[in-house]
C-alpha cells in the first residue's frame, strides 16, 4: 500500500479520527486527500459582523470593545440541546448561504468596521481550524486581537499552533466526567480540556470558562470552581442557566433563583462568577474584589449573551476601581462605545431566527432538512433577515410570511391551512375579549420583574389583540430583547397584570416574592396576577404562539374567556405536527415541537430550486 493510500489520524482535535483516503472524520470537515488531512470547506462563513465583546460572551477582556464575529458551520462535537444546532447540524457547509472570504478580506473587514480584533464563535473553530489559524496569524500581524469560543478539544499539535496568535478564549466545559464528554462525542473525556486550559493559561492567553447549570449538577460545578482555582482564582466563570432546546430534557432547567443561589456559593471559591440566561439578574455585574463596589454593570442580551451598561473604572495601565482605587481583574481598557448589532446579528439570536423559520416550515408539513435550508438560503442570499425580524413582530405579517414560505417550498395548500387556522383563532380571541369591556394594563417581563421586553415586540402585540393596554409601549428602551428598568419606572407603570415570557421564564411564585422583597406596590402584585404560559415558548417565535394568545386572553379576561389550553394544544399538535401533545416533552426550542421530533432520514425530499 502506498503512502497516499494509508489511513491517517486527524491532528486537529483530540478525537484523532482515523480517516481513510477519500473519506472524512466524525465532524465531516476534514478529509484524507492524497495522504494529507485537509480542511474541506475553507474560507466560507455563515456570519461575519461586528459585535461588542460581551455578546461573545467575554467579560474581562477589553470590556465594551467592538470585535468582528466570524462563524462557519459544523462542529467536532454533537451536544444534546446545542444552542447552535441549526448551523452545527442542519446547515450544509456547501450551502449557498455561506459567503467566501479570504483571510485578507476578513481582516480588512474588521479594520474597516472599527474593530479591535476578531473572534470566532457560535460554532467551534476546530471545525475550520486552518481557516481560523490563517485569519488569526494575519490579524495578529495587523495589530488586532484574536479570540474564540471553543469546547477546548484541541489536539496537542493544534494547541501549540494556535497559542502564539490567540489572545483570549471562552472554553465551554461540558462536565467533569468522561461520560459527559462521550455524550458530546468527546471520545477522550475531560482530561484534554483540562490540559488545554492549563496550557492556555501558561501561554498568557486570557481565559474565561463557561459551564451549564443543570438541575441536580450543583456539586459538579462547585468541583469545577476548585479545579479552576488551582489554575488561577481570577479566571472568570460564566454559569449558563440551562435552556432546554432541541431534544434536551426540560426537567433539567433550574429556576433563576436556584442559579443565583449557586453562584453565591461559587464566589466563595472563585473571584468572578456570573449568571447568564437569567434576564434581570444582577449576577452579571463585576464587583471589586477589594471593596465590594460594582465596577461594571451588565444586562441580559439574549441567550448566552450580555451587554455592558456602564462602568465605574478609572483608566490606568491596569484599570482601577473608582471607589477604592484598587486594581480590577480586567485585561485591557474599558470601552464606552455606543454600538449595537443589527437585528439577528451577533451571537445566538441569529440561530433563534433560523429556528423560527424552521418552526413555521415544520408546522406546514416539512420534514426534510433540505427544504428548510432552501428557505434559509433564500433569506440569507437575498438579505431578508431584517424583513424577517420585522415580520415576526405582528400577527398579520407573520401569517403572510407563512403563506410566502409555503410558496417557496411548494406547500401552498398546507400553508393556507395553518394561516387560516391562525386567522380564525385570532378573530375568535379578539371578539371574545372585547365582550368584557375592560382594557387591563399589562406588563410583559422576561425572567425577573425589572427586565422589560421592548414595546414593539410580538408579546406586547398579543396583549393588544386581547384588548389590553401594553404598558411596555409607554417607555423607550433598547437592548435585546429588552432591558432592565428602574424599580421606580415599573412602579409608575403600575400594571394590573404581569406576564412572564414563555421562552426564558421564571416561576410566578419566585417572581411575586421578588416583587414583594423589593417593595413593589403595584396592582399586579397586590392582586397576585402574575402569569406565565403553561406551554414553553408559546408567546413568540413558532406558530404555537396561538396557544399563548389564548392563555393571555384567559388571564386578562377571567369569566369571559375560558379557552381550554390543554385541549387546544392537543388539537394543534395533532393537526400541524402529526403527534400527540405532552406538556412534559415540550422544551424551549422555537423550531422543534417537542423533544421527540426528528427529521426524516437523509435522502428524503430534494431541495426545490432556489427562487
Amino acid at each position: 500500500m502506498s503512502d497516499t493510500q494509508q489511513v491517517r489520524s486527524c491532528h486537529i482535535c483530540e478525537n484523532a479520527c482515523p480517516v481513510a483516503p477519500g473519506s472524512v472524520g466524525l465532524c465531516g470537515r476534514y478529509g484524507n486527500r492524497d495522504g494529507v488531512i485537509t480542511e474541506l470547506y475553507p474560507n466560507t462563513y455563515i456570519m461575519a459582523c461586528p459585535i461588542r465583546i460581551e455578546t461573545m460572551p467575554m467579560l474581562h477582556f477589553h470590556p465594551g470593545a467592538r470585535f468582528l464575529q466570524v462563524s462557519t458551520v459544523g462542529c467536532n462535537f454533537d451536544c444534546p440541546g446545542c444552542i447552535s444546532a441549526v448551523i452545527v447540524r442542519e446547515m450544509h457547509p456547501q450551502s449557498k448561504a455561506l459567503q467566501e472570504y479570504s483571510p485578507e478580506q476578513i481582516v480588512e473587514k474588521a479594520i474597516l468596521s472599527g474593530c479591535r480584533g476578531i473572534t470566532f464563535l457560535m460554532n467551534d473553530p476546530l471545525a475550520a481550524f486552518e481557516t481560523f489559524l490563517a485569519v488569526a496569524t494575519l490579524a495578529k500581524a495587523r495589530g488586532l486581537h484574536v479570540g474564540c469560543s471553543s469546547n477546548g478539544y484541541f489536539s496537542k499539535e493544534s494547541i501549540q499552533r494556535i497559542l502564539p496568535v490567540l489572545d483570549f478564549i471562552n472554553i465551554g466545559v461540558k462536565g467533569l466526567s468522561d461520560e459527559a464528554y462521550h455524550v458530546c462525542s468527546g471520545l477522550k473525556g475531560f482530561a484534554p480540556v483540562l490540559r488545554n486550559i492549563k496550557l492556555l493559561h501558561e501561554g498568557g492567553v486570557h481565559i474565561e470558562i463557561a459551564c451549564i447549570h443543570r438541575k441536580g449538577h450543583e456539586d459538579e460545578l462547585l468541583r469545577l470552581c476548585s479545579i479552576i482555582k488551582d489554575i488561577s482564582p481570577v479566571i472568570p466563570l460564566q454559569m449558563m442557566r440551562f435552556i432546554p432546546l432541541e431534544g434536551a430534557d426540560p426537567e433539567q432547567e433550574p429556576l433563576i433563583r436556584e442559579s443565583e443561589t449557586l453562584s453565591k456559593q461559587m464566589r466563595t471559591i472563585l473571584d468572578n462568577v456570573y449568571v447568564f440566561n437569567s434576564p434581570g439578574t444582577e449576577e452579571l455585574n463585576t464587583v471589586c474584589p477589594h471593596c465590594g463596589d460594582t465596577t461594571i454593570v451588565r444586562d441580559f442580551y439574549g441567550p448566552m449573551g450580555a451587554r455592558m451598561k456602564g462602568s465605574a473604572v478609572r483608566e490606568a495601565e491596569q484599570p482601577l476601581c473608582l471607589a477604592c482605587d484598587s486594581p480590577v481583574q480586567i485585561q485591557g481598557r474599558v470601552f464606552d462605545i455606543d454600538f449595537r448589532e443589527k437585528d439577528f446579528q451577533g451571537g445566538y439570536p441569529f440561530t433563534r431566527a433560523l429556528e423560527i423559520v424552521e418552526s413555521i416550515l415544520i408546522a406546514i408539513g416539512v420534514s426534510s432538512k433540505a427544504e428548510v435550508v432552501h428557505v434559509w438560503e433564500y433569506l440569507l442570499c437575498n438579505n431578508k433577515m431584517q424583513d424577517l425580524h420585522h415580520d415576526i413582530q405582528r400577527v398579520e405579517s407573520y401569517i403572510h410570511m407563512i403563506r410566502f414560505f409555503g410558496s417557496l417550498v411548494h406547500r401552498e395548500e398546507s400553508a393556507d391551512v395553518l394561516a387560516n387556522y391562525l386567522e380564525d383563532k385570532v378573530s375568535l380571541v379578539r371578539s371574545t375579549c372585547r365582550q368584557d369591556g375592560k382594557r387591563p394594563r399589562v406588563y410583559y417581563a422576561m425572567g425577573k420583574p425589572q427586565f422589560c421586553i421592548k414595546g414593539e415586540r410580538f408579546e406586547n402585540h398579543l396583549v393588544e389583540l386581547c384588548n389590553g393596554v401594553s404598558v411596555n409601549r409607554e417607555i423607550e428602551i433598547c437592548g435585546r430583547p429588552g432591558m432592565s428598568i428602574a424599580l421606580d419606572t415599573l412602579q409608575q407603570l403600575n400594571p394590573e397584570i404581569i406576564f412572564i415570557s414563555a421562552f426564558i421564564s421564571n416561576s410566578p411564585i419566585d417572581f411575586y416574592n421578588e416583587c414583594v422583597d423589593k417593595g413593589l406596590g403595584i396592582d399586579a402584585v397586590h392582586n397576585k396576577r402574575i402569569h406565565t404560559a403553561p406551554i414553553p415558548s408559546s408567546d413568540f417565535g413558532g406558530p404555537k404562539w396561538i396557544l399563548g394568545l389564548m392563555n393571555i386572553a384567559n388571564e386578562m379576561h377571567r369569566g369571559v374567556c375560558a379557552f381550554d389550553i390543554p385541549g387546544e394544544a392537543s388539537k394543534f399538535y395533532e393537526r400541524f405536527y402529526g403527534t400527540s401533545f405532552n406538556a412534559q416533552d415540550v422544551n424551549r426550542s422555537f423550531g422543534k415541537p417537542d423533544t421527540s421530533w426528528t427529521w426524516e432520514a437523509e435522502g428524503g425530499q430534494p431541495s426545490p430550486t432556489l427562487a
Side-chain angles (χ1 to χ4, degrees), residues 265-293:
Q265 292 180 263
M266 295 164 76
R267 282 201 188 101
T268 64
I269 305 171
L270 291 175
D271 292 350
N272 304 292
V273 178
Y274 300 97
V275 178
F276 282 74
N277 299 339
S278 304
T281 185
E282 295 182 359
E283 303 287 309
L284 275 174
N285 297 337
T286 294
V287 175
C288 174
H290 303 281
C291 71
D293 267 28

Side-chain angles (χ1 to χ4, degrees), residues 61-331:
F61 188 86
H62 294 263
R66 191 184 310 189
F67 280 72
L68 186 76
Q69 169 189 332
V70 293
S71 309
T72 62
V73 298
C75 188
N76 60 321
F77 273 20
D78 186 10
C79 303
C82 174
I83 196 168
S84 295
V86 290
I87 65 169
V88 166
R89 301 185 192 130
E90 295 167 16
M91 183 72 80
H92 194 275
Q94 291 180 302
S95 167
K96 300 180 183 74
L98 273 68
Q99 300 181 56
E100 187 169 341
Y101 295 112
S102 69
E104 291 79 8
Q105 288 173 312
I106 289 291
V107 171
E108 193 65 24
K109 190 176 182 71
I111 293 170
L112 292 175
S113 300
C115 295
R116 305 284 297 180
I118 295 171
T119 183
F120 193 120
L121 63 136
M122 284 207 309
N123 71 315
D124 204 289
L126 286 165
F129 185 73
E130 300 297 343
T131 290
F132 178 56
L133 186 62
V135 169
T137 302
L138 183 59
K140 289 295 291 181
R142 297 288 298 273
L144 297 175
H145 297 298
V146 175
C148 66
S149 292
S150 175
N151 53 45
Y153 230 57
F154 298 93
S155 67
K156 291 179 181 178
E157 178 180 335
S158 61
I159 194 74
Q160 293 301 328
R161 294 177 67 198
I162 201 69
L163 266 173
V165 292
L166 195 65
D167 296 298
F168 60 96
I169 188 170
N170 181 320
I171 293 185
V173 173
K174 309 302 178 183
L176 301 183
S177 67
D178 289 347
E179 290 75 17
Y181 276 84
H182 293 162
V183 167
C184 291
S185 304
L187 304 182
K188 296 183 182 176
F190 173 59
V193 179
L194 181 57
R195 177 199 71 209
N196 289 335
I197 292 173
K198 292 176 178 177
L199 287 171
L200 289 160
H201 178 69
E202 291 165 3
V205 177
H206 175 81
I207 306 169
E208 302 195 15
I209 305 294
C211 60
I212 301 292
H213 175 208
R214 290 180 175 85
K215 189 174 286 190
H217 290 250
E218 290 76 14
D219 288 344
E220 184 177 41
L221 295 188
L222 292 170
R223 290 203 314 275
L224 176 61
C225 289
S226 296
I227 290 170
I228 295 170
K229 182 180 180 180
D230 288 342
I231 300 170
S232 172
V234 304
I235 292 176
L237 183 65
Q238 305 171 359
M239 180 170 61
M240 305 290 173
R241 190 173 68 93
F242 181 59
I243 304 174
L245 301 170
E246 300 291 315
D249 181 5
E251 292 298 314
Q252 293 187 329
E253 180 182 8
L255 296 169
I256 293 176
R257 167 178 50 83
E258 292 169 335
S259 289
E260 290 180 329
T261 298
L262 177 59
S263 76
K264 290 176 172 61
Q265 292 180 263
M266 295 164 76
R267 282 201 188 101
T268 64
I269 305 171
L270 291 175
D271 292 350
N272 304 292
V273 178
Y274 300 97
V275 178
F276 282 74
N277 299 339
S278 304
T281 185
E282 295 182 359
E283 303 287 309
L284 275 174
N285 297 337
T286 294
V287 175
C288 174
H290 303 281
C291 71
D293 267 28
T294 299
T295 54
I296 297 181
V297 178
R298 302 184 187 87
D299 211 354
F300 171 82
Y301 198 60
M304 310 292 185
R307 182 79 177 180
M308 193 180 84
K309 293 180 69 177
S311 65
V313 173
R314 184 164 68 82
E315 291 302 330
E317 185 174 340
Q318 171 67 44
L320 303 174
C321 171
L322 276 181
C324 69
D325 222 31
S326 299
V328 294
Q329 296 163 348
I330 290 168
Q331 186 171 334

Side-chain angles (χ1 to χ4, degrees), residues 326-449:
S326 299
V328 294
Q329 296 163 348
I330 290 168
Q331 186 171 334
R333 59 167 288 201
V334 178
F335 292 79
D336 292 318
I337 300 172
D338 187 19
F339 166 75
R340 299 192 179 278
E341 296 93 341
K342 294 180 181 178
D343 296 321
F344 290 150
Q345 282 198 348
Y348 296 97
F350 175 77
T351 62
R352 304 281 70 76
L354 298 184
E355 271 192 12
I356 291 171
V357 175
E358 183 178 77
S359 72
I360 293 171
L361 295 171
I362 289 173
I364 63 173
V366 170
S367 58
S368 160
K369 290 183 188 179
E371 288 182 273
V372 174
V373 171
H374 164 66
V375 179
W376 288 344
E377 288 176 339
Y378 172 83
L379 294 169
L380 293 166
C381 293
N382 292 283
N383 297 315
K384 296 290 186 181
M385 294 299 281
Q386 190 66 31
D387 292 345
L388 174 67
H389 188 270
H390 174 268
D391 290 345
I392 62 173
Q393 305 300 346
R394 304 286 294 183
V395 162
E396 296 81 2
S397 53
Y398 191 108
I399 293 173
H400 173 77
M401 185 171 58
I402 290 172
R403 291 191 168 102
F404 178 67
F405 288 170
S407 70
L408 287 180
V409 292
H410 310 309
R411 292 177 181 266
E412 290 89 349
E413 186 174 341
S414 55
D416 258 343
V417 170
L418 175 60
N420 291 337
Y421 167 85
L422 295 175
E423 287 171 338
D424 290 346
K425 287 293 184 183
V426 167
S427 178
L428 176 61
V429 168
R430 183 186 277 128
S431 61
T432 307
C433 290
R434 286 178 178 172
Q435 294 173 20
D436 191 356
K438 296 179 181 177
R439 296 197 67 207
R441 291 173 56 79
V442 178
Y443 174 67
Y444 230 109
M446 182 175 278
K448 291 164 74 73

